[in-house]
Amino acid sequence: MLQGYLAGIRRLTLRQVPVPEPGPGEVVVKIRCALTCGTDLKTFRRGHARLPVPGPFGHEAAGVVHAAGEGVERFRPGDAVMWVPTAPCGQCPPCRRGQENLCRHLFDPERMALGAYAEFIRLPAPIVARHLFAKPGHLSFEQAAFLEPLSCVVRGWRRLGRPEEVVVIGTGTIGLLHVMVARALQVPRIVAVGRRAAGLELARQAGATETLAADAQEALPRIRALFGGEGPAAVIEATGRAESWQAAAQWVRPGGRVLLFGGLAGGTWVHFEAFRLHYEEVDLIGSFHYTPADVREAYDLLARGRLPVAMLITHRRPLAELPEVFQALDRGEAIKVALYPEGAETGGAGEAGGPARPGGGDGPGQGSSSQTLP
């Protein structure tokens, strides 16, 4: 089979490897669609603290079960499925405290499902048990592949709560997903801030009530003016730039909350004004990865058709063009690309690919009720 392999920084290749065989509790999936993401682009450019380089590349995908290992009862060949690439152990101290997104074993190589830029992928038993789900028939494989980034965004909203107004800095994929979730949560006022006209237009389509074309460092007076001189109740930083982290803490009103969502490179230090944090009780909130509850909520949002995620895909390309796709991403010529192995159909919500039966050890099946975000 064809598999994308990151051999080193900016050294992305395609190689031929055997189709994997499932072990006990494991499932091998035939990829129908894989998505590029900002994390993969960062890894391509500079490596990643939690993702192995060199190693198989890609982690957002959806497909059809090719083979199921011994002991797998919820899925069989032909089932259309969606998943996220990690699952907590449930036994380490963070897991026992309910902080499953901080599990000490989330990124153990043998427990992760990496290599989504391929024709087939093997899902380890912990993921099959907790984070593999039946794909509803009305969802396209493109839409289903958004489960992982959406789970991360849902985690951020659990940390933030549900403010009466929010400003989102950044109109890339993650910023737009935050706008969509805010809309789904019926936040009355959603302001998107970005530098690109195309991104701001997408933000309006995603549900922003207002947009502002500005750089984070120069927008402070304009943001405060939009909110009566004080600033908004909440700000979400979704660019992963240190200067935007600092700006977000200045934009928010006294008593407001700032979700620092966009990750920074290891070793980065960011400075905040002590007066704001102490005398004005501004809360700075971090968010990382997701818990099983976040994944279930993200699954439910997708299954209920609450989010127009397919609009975020800017290009569709065959898997064979993977190296060229990342060169284009590196040059800023694309935002999110759907990659299709040879013979896979592109687009369309009619990619059912098999019956949708309940899946995932503690995940939702058909007809599951919505979880409630704060």
Side-chain angles (χ1 to χ4, degrees):
M1 73 171 191
L2 197 63
Q3 181 190 68
Y5 188 82
L6 189 60
I9 304 304
R10 299 182 186 274
R11 292 170 52 207
L12 180 56
T13 64
L14 287 163
R15 63 180 188 172
Q16 287 287 342
V17 298
V19 175
E21 296 286 339
E26 297 181 341
V27 163
V28 172
V29 175
K30 181 176 177 60
I31 300 292
R32 293 292 301 274
C33 176
L35 301 177
T36 63
C37 79
T39 296
D40 286 343
L41 181 57
K42 290 178 183 178
T43 305
F44 172 80
R45 286 171 167 167
R46 64 174 187 247
H48 195 282
R50 300 293 182 92
L51 303 180
V53 179
F57 201 36
H59 63 276
E60 296 180 14
V64 175
V65 173
H66 172 71
E70 179 184 353
V72 176
E73 298 179 352
R74 293 185 176 91
F75 302 95
R76 62 172 179 256
D79 286 353
V81 292
M82 50 202 286
W83 64 92
V84 295
T86 66
C89 73
Q91 303 298 321
C92 69
C95 282
R96 292 198 299 269
R97 292 194 297 265
Q99 298 173 306
E100 294 163 298
N101 60 309
L102 304 180
C103 172
R104 293 180 179 177
H105 301 288
L106 272 180
F107 298 97
D108 290 354
E110 69 276 8
R111 295 176 59 93
M112 296 177 67
L114 295 179
Y117 302 138
E119 294 180 284
F120 296 87
I121 188 171
R122 180 184 60 84
L123 305 183
I127 292 172
V128 175
R130 302 200 72 177
H131 284 163
L132 179 62
F133 304 93
K135 182 184 79 65
H138 62 274
L139 278 185
S140 71
F141 286 100
E142 285 184 355
Q143 293 168 317
F146 276 92
L147 181 61
E148 192 272 347
L150 182 57
S151 297
C152 295
V153 168
V154 166
R155 175 65 189 169
W157 278 89
R158 286 191 191 277
R159 298 275 288 155
L160 181 65
R162 192 178 302 190
E164 66 269 26
E165 59 199 18
V166 65
V167 172
V168 178
I169 310 175
T171 56
T173 298
I174 292 299
L176 295 171
L177 284 174
H178 275 292
V179 170
M180 290 182 188
V181 171
R183 183 63 177 267
L185 293 175
Q186 300 181 328
V187 175
R189 193 176 184 191
I190 307 163
V191 180
V193 178
R195 294 176 292 180
R196 298 179 299 107
L200 294 172
E201 175 56 32
L202 285 174
R204 285 188 284 271
Q205 296 176 27
T209 57
E210 301 159 69
T211 60
L212 178 62
D215 185 271
Q217 293 176 292
E218 64 189 23
L220 175 60
R222 297 170 66 186
I223 288 292
R224 288 190 174 174
L226 282 176
F227 293 89
E230 275 199 323
V235 176
I236 297 174
E237 198 292 319
T239 71
R241 298 165 58 207
E243 55 269 31
S244 295
W245 278 41
Q246 294 179 172
Q250 293 300 314
W251 290 6
V252 74
R253 76 187 185 197
R257 313 192 85 195
V258 178
L259 177 62
L260 301 170
F261 192 89
L264 304 179
T268 302
W269 288 83
V270 182
H271 300 280
F272 300 102
E273 184 186 12
F275 183 90
R276 296 234 71 201
L277 307 187
H278 180 74
Y279 292 100
E280 296 188 338
E281 290 191 342
V282 168
D283 291 334
L284 304 180
I285 304 165
S287 177
F288 175 69
H289 214 57
Y290 44 74
T291 67
D294 302 321
V295 179
R296 291 194 299 270
E297 177 68 22
Y299 176 92
D300 193 57
L301 286 169
L302 289 169
R304 293 168 57 200
R306 299 288 302 278
L307 309 177
V309 292
M311 64 175 282
L312 303 179
I313 296 173
T314 58
H315 298 77
R316 293 168 175 85
R317 295 290 185 268
L319 176 63
E321 295 182 12
L322 178 66
E324 292 79 10
V325 164
F326 267 82
Q327 291 168 13
L329 289 166
D330 193 32
R331 295 191 297 266
E333 296 172 0
I335 297 175
K336 198 168 190 71
V337 182
L339 290 155
Y340 285 85
E342 185 178 358
E345 298 176 1
T346 60
E351 300 172 330
R357 297 195 307 278
D362 57 359
Q366 295 300 99
S368 62
S369 61
S370 173
Q371 304 292 320
T372 302
L373 286 166

